Amino acid sequence: MENDEIEDITMQVGSAASLRVGAITSSESETDRALAESLIAHYQEAITYAERVLACSSDAYLCWLADAAAETHRRDIASLRDWMAQQKTGF
């Protein structure tokens, strides 16, 4: 990848969250934190969809899958928030 391509990366995460990672002047930790925040937004949106499935579907398999996905994403969000807190405090 060329430098100019790296400097202007745009990621679309879900329909609600969009993250633009600008020039490489920002530190790696700032970029990592922005990516973590974007993942959290993506996981939160996935949880919302899973909750809609649970509220609207009568299919046992779909409900099981939605429930499992939501629980996994809740754990992932907690892990990302823990990681972000550790980065902030330097541990």
Side-chain angles (χ1 to χ4, degrees):
M1 195 179 287
E2 298 293 324
N3 260 354
D4 56 336
E5 291 175 305
I6 294 172
E7 291 176 357
D8 193 26
I9 298 171
T10 301
M11 292 179 54
Q12 292 297 324
V13 181
S15 61
S18 175
L19 169 67
R20 183 170 178 85
V21 180
I24 307 246
T25 56
S26 62
S27 72
E28 279 186 30
S29 63
E30 289 173 350
T31 301
D32 290 342
R33 185 173 181 83
L35 291 169
E37 289 172 352
S38 182
L39 279 172
I40 289 170
H42 172 70
Y43 292 153
Q44 288 173 329
E45 187 173 337
I47 291 167
T48 299
Y49 286 122
E51 290 170 346
R52 287 182 193 156
V53 169
L54 291 169
C56 298
S57 180
S58 60
D59 185 276
Y61 176 73
L62 286 180
C63 289
W64 172 82
L65 189 60
D67 186 54
E71 185 57 35
T72 298
H73 289 320
R74 285 185 189 100
R75 283 193 305 268
D76 292 342
I77 289 170
S79 293
L80 284 165
R81 287 183 175 151
D82 288 346
W83 175 83
M84 290 169 67
Q86 289 174 359
Q87 300 304 307
K88 195 174 195 177
T89 60
F91 289 111

